[in-house]
Amino acid sequence: MLPTKFTERLKKIVPAEEYEQVLETFHQPKETTFRLNPLKTDEERLLKELCEAGLHPEPVDWMPGAFHIPSDERRALTESDAFYEGRLYIQNLSSMLAPLLLDPRPGERILDLAAAPGGKTLMIAGMMEDRGWISAVEPVKERFHRLRRNQERAGTTIVHTYNRDGRGVGRAVPESFDRVLLDAPCSSEAKFSTLKPQSYAYWSARKIRESQKLQKRLILSAFDALKPEGTLLYSTCSFAPEENEAVVDFLLDKHPDRVEILPIEVPLKNLQKGFTYWEKKTFDSALSKTLRILPDNKMDGFFLAKLQKL
């Protein structure tokens, strides 16, 4: 059973007409989604390989190179040669949106400031055709080694991994990157599942406050590392406005004349505009341009903000 305080908060965040449907997603297994690794295969070859292994992937019409399979085929997918040899990467569709909106180009310098386990880093490398430079930063040693293993398996050559605290990166290499992805550590509310009670065992209002404190330091570092006219994509897998709109609003307060929130357009219906008001606190009106993805049978909840440094 989900924590009562969490569901009470969720009811205030999610539109009333969507609440019961959103709540139901925490009790059901999601379909498995994955994307091909263009550095190792193409769609025709991958689909042929998976079909020969008895799998039934279907393309995701709005995400090139992404597919979904029924939840009962997930184990077979994880036991396939394509998975072990890095020709595909299992990833939720919501997570794929962050690199898609970051829109990296071949030859650019990219910073992924909280990179492990590396799925978004791999997607960025593929979008860049493995040309350019990606700095992937992860402070936790165990997660850092997983990040490195995933890069090696996928065959990237432009990803450079760093086991260090992201809060100091902006000072160390100021205005060095064309684009920065900060998929910030968070309370992971969107990952909660009553099928896995451990997923919410340590959730609390205090956890949200602790996450926000770290997120504020990281977004300042990310902004400092970004070149003028560069793009910063901030995201979390939390519903909490304290970890989302409030963090972006904090950046706007710190740099009032240097940050522009860019509009986000994605071909989805399960969307909610960002808040400009929460718990007696008013945010900048531009926060309405941010987006919250509402969970469904394929997608996790997710928050996205696309920013430009002026």
Side-chain angles (χ1 to χ4, degrees):
M1 186 175 180
L2 294 169
T4 302
K5 287 186 177 180
F6 169 70
T7 55
E8 288 173 350
R9 281 175 53 88
L10 188 66
K11 192 171 248 186
K12 295 178 183 177
I13 296 169
V14 173
E17 65 274 15
E18 305 281 353
Y19 175 71
E20 290 299 331
Q21 184 176 340
V22 166
L23 192 63
E24 187 62 27
T25 66
F26 292 97
H27 306 293
Q28 299 173 339
K30 284 184 169 59
E31 289 190 17
T32 295
T33 56
F34 65 94
R35 54 177 178 75
L36 66 84
N37 175 6
L39 305 181
K40 282 198 165 184
T41 190
D42 57 40
E43 183 171 329
E44 183 178 354
R45 283 189 293 166
L46 181 63
L47 290 180
K48 180 181 179 182
E49 179 180 3
L50 295 179
C51 288
E52 288 175 352
L55 296 163
H56 304 86
E58 294 290 337
V60 177
D61 56 9
W62 56 269
M63 179 67 78
F67 304 87
H68 62 97
I69 56 173
S71 57
D72 60 4
E73 290 188 6
R74 182 183 179 94
R75 181 172 180 178
L77 184 67
T78 62
E79 293 174 349
S80 68
D81 289 341
F83 173 77
Y84 278 113
E85 296 169 9
R87 290 188 289 279
L88 64 85
Y89 189 89
I90 296 174
Q91 187 175 22
N92 190 265
L93 290 176
S94 297
S95 293
M96 296 183 204
L97 281 172
L100 187 71
L101 294 171
L102 185 69
D103 194 24
R105 310 294 172 85
E108 291 185 329
R109 290 180 62 87
I110 310 295
L111 171 63
D112 188 348
L113 197 53
K120 299 178 187 68
T121 317
L122 294 175
M123 184 171 173
I124 292 169
M127 293 172 73
M128 294 172 67
E129 301 170 2
D130 207 34
R131 293 189 283 130
W133 179 285
I134 301 173
S135 291
V137 177
E138 174 55 47
V140 181
K141 187 163 288 189
E142 182 179 344
R143 289 172 57 81
F144 169 76
H145 289 303
R146 185 179 175 194
L147 166 68
R148 293 193 69 175
R149 287 195 299 271
N150 281 332
Q151 305 310 309
E152 291 165 1
R153 180 186 298 171
T156 63
T157 64
I158 64 169
V159 177
H160 306 266
T161 54
Y162 301 90
N163 182 207
R164 63 170 296 168
D165 191 328
R167 289 173 288 188
V169 170
R171 290 191 303 274
V173 285
E175 299 195 341
S176 299
F177 297 94
D178 300 292
R179 302 173 200 264
V180 178
L181 173 62
L182 174 54
D183 184 40
C186 66
S187 60
S188 302
E189 293 176 338
K191 303 290 187 183
F192 292 176
S193 170
T194 54
L195 305 176
K196 299 177 182 177
Q198 192 69 12
S199 63
Y200 50 83
Y202 301 103
W203 178 89
S204 67
R206 180 180 178 181
K207 175 69 172 176
I208 291 174
R209 292 193 298 270
E210 290 174 349
S211 296
Q212 185 198 61
K213 186 177 180 181
L214 173 60
Q215 290 154 356
K216 286 180 175 180
R217 294 282 303 279
L218 284 171
I219 201 169
L220 289 178
S221 179
F223 189 75
D224 287 344
L226 186 65
K227 293 178 181 178
E229 303 300 319
T231 301
L232 166 60
L233 198 291
Y234 177 80
S235 61
T236 79
C237 57
S238 171
F239 294 97
E242 294 92 339
E243 300 182 66
N244 297 323
E245 290 92 342
V247 174
V248 178
D249 193 64
F250 169 78
L251 179 64
L252 267 62
D253 284 343
K254 289 292 184 181
H255 298 282
D257 301 318
R258 299 206 66 197
V259 185
E260 180 181 359
I261 300 181
L262 302 176
I264 296 173
E265 294 184 10
V266 289
L268 298 170
K269 294 181 179 179
N270 54 319
L271 305 175
Q272 181 184 23
K273 286 184 178 181
F275 294 176
T276 57
Y277 180 87
W278 173 253
E279 299 285 290
K280 300 182 181 179
K281 181 172 175 57
T282 301
F283 305 132
D284 191 293
S285 60
L287 267 298
S288 63
K289 296 179 184 177
T290 64
L291 276 185
R292 199 173 263 96
I293 306 297
L294 299 177
D296 59 19
N297 67 326
K298 292 186 184 70
M299 301 185 73
D300 289 337
F302 212 66
F303 175 83
L304 296 153
K306 188 173 182 178
L307 315 169
Q308 186 175 42
K309 187 173 192 174
L310 303 179

